[in-house]
Amino acid sequence: MKSFTIQEINDTLKGVLVGNTTQAITGPEQLEQAANDQITFIGDKKYAKLWETSKACAVILNDTIELEPGENRAIIKVKNADIAMAELLEMFVPQLPVFDTDIHPTAVIHPSATIGKSCKIGAGCYVGKDVVIGNETVLYPNVTVLDNTRIGANTSIWPGAVIRERTIVGNYCIIHPNVTIGADGFGFRPSPDGKGLIKIPHIGNVIIGNGVEIGANSCVDRGKFSATIVGDGCKIDNLIQIGHNSKMGRSCIMAGASGLAGSVTLGDGVIIGGGARINDHVTLGNGVSVGGNSGVINDWPDGAKVMGYPAVDARDALKQWVILRKLVKESKK
């Protein structure tokens, strides 16, 4: 088990150390649940009162919060406790699953595939015709990569993921379990005789940028004509749907169970809350923020903050909710 002194932790965080503890620190934990060999964090002053009763031997907190360390306890003051906690967690990351052999004997790799240096391919994987995989990429057990796909270097693809044909995945990506990239887009039209539906072929592909993370059980459908694009640095939560021909800019965030219909365009730095839905052909500008469970049916310019169903400017939504509460109260009189 990993452990560090308070000084070793502060050397990494580069904060201001107040007080001291001789306790070896074995990991981080929430204020209320921490043991005396653990470190905790406070990012908001409303939680500062919990420090007194917490068993933690150390705390990381924003430098705007005033606390006394106490006996054999230490405080590390930083500008942003959330970012400092992320750096601390890196120190305590457990070892990843171990490969006894770089390429498991049960993996099926087409002779035409190109596998980079120091790659690892787990049990039950399938790598198809003319696939190219960059250096130090890891395919965990039971990953499927179909024909003519290109995967960059230092990318990790976890068990059960399916990367369909002609997909392009960048460097330093993380694809979590059971993700599907490059499946058919959802396109059907009524048949002329009115007795069924005609499936519209989707002959495009998916392009995933560098540094993208896609959460478990999420789907990115391929384009009808060209490509569905997920830009560099995007972070996609679990259970996300990204429809055909959608285009995401750089460093967008989509929280769990949200979705993009077909041909949605997102600028850079767009944030979509959990459960929010974006209608087809909608364009959201740079830095747009969409509240959880909202339904967006029209375009929004750079920097807009929207919420509600249908989504409106966040300030207008709050005013509407106040009016509704007042109407409810009046109706009960």
Side-chain angles (χ1 to χ4, degrees):
M1 182 170 60
K2 294 181 178 180
S3 68
F4 300 93
T5 67
I6 190 66
Q7 190 60 58
E8 288 172 328
I9 290 173
N10 192 49
D11 288 345
T12 296
L13 302 184
K14 296 178 173 55
V16 175
L17 180 60
V18 180
N20 188 43
T21 179
T22 58
Q23 179 69 55
I25 298 171
T26 61
E29 187 50 272
Q30 296 179 40
L31 268 164
E32 306 95 316
Q33 300 177 18
N36 63 3
D37 61 349
Q38 292 178 311
I39 187 170
T40 189
F41 78 109
I42 299 174
D44 191 309
K45 64 181 180 181
K46 69 181 179 181
Y47 300 112
K49 61 185 178 181
L50 298 175
W51 171 240
E52 186 176 347
T53 56
S54 176
K55 294 180 181 178
C57 64
V59 61
I60 300 165
L61 53 73
N62 288 345
D63 57 13
T64 56
I65 301 172
E66 293 297 327
L67 274 184
E68 292 297 323
E71 184 179 353
N72 199 28
R73 302 176 94 191
I75 290 173
I76 298 176
K77 292 191 172 186
V78 295
K79 291 198 174 296
N80 189 312
D82 289 330
I83 292 175
M85 181 54 69
E87 294 172 346
L88 177 68
L89 287 167
E90 288 285 350
M91 298 175 68
F92 286 97
V93 169
Q95 183 181 13
L96 293 173
V98 173
F99 283 74
D100 292 329
T101 58
D102 284 352
I103 298 179
H104 196 276
T106 63
V108 177
I109 301 174
H110 194 278
S112 65
T114 301
I115 310 298
K117 296 178 181 178
S118 302
C119 287
K120 298 184 185 300
I121 300 178
C125 288
Y126 175 80
V127 178
K129 184 175 182 294
D130 294 325
V131 167
V132 177
I133 298 177
N135 298 339
E136 299 187 41
T137 283
V138 178
L139 308 186
Y140 287 96
N142 300 313
V143 167
T144 298
V145 182
L146 295 181
D147 300 4
N148 297 293
T149 287
R150 300 205 310 268
I151 298 173
N154 295 283
T155 285
S156 296
I157 304 179
W158 288 88
V162 176
I163 316 297
R164 287 279 301 268
E165 62 275 17
R166 305 189 309 280
T167 295
I168 299 172
V169 179
N171 305 318
Y172 296 97
C173 293
I174 302 173
I175 311 297
H176 286 284
N178 300 316
V179 167
T180 298
I181 299 176
D184 290 357
F186 189 71
F188 299 91
R189 293 293 183 273
S191 60
D193 60 11
K195 295 181 179 180
L197 296 171
I198 296 174
K199 180 178 174 64
I200 298 175
H202 285 68
I203 63 173
N205 70 336
V206 175
I207 300 174
I208 307 291
N210 299 318
V212 172
E213 185 163 352
I214 301 179
N217 298 298
S218 293
C219 299
V220 185
D221 291 346
R222 67 181 175 217
K224 184 187 296 184
F225 307 117
S226 52
T228 302
I229 298 173
V230 179
D232 292 349
C234 288
K235 308 301 178 185
I236 296 167
D237 201 353
N238 302 331
L239 298 167
I240 301 293
Q241 164 67 22
I242 298 177
H244 63 269
N245 289 104
S246 288
K247 292 177 172 55
M248 299 176 65
R250 296 179 295 110
S251 300
C252 296
I253 294 174
M254 294 183 66
S258 59
L260 309 181
S263 300
V264 170
T265 300
L266 304 184
D268 297 338
V270 173
I271 298 174
I272 297 177
R277 285 81 68 198
I278 315 300
N279 205 30
D280 57 295
H281 298 279
V282 163
T283 296
L284 303 181
N286 298 330
V288 169
S289 178
V290 178
N293 292 311
S294 298
V296 181
I297 61 174
N298 53 275
D299 297 350
W300 288 93
D302 292 357
K305 291 179 171 56
V306 302
M307 61 172 60
Y309 196 92
V312 296
D313 183 277
R315 292 165 297 185
D316 292 337
L318 293 172
K319 292 175 184 176
Q320 290 174 7
W321 296 344
V322 169
I323 292 170
L324 285 172
R325 283 200 298 268
K326 288 180 178 179
L327 288 172
V328 170
K329 286 181 181 179
E330 290 295 324
S331 69
K332 292 179 179 179
K333 290 181 179 179

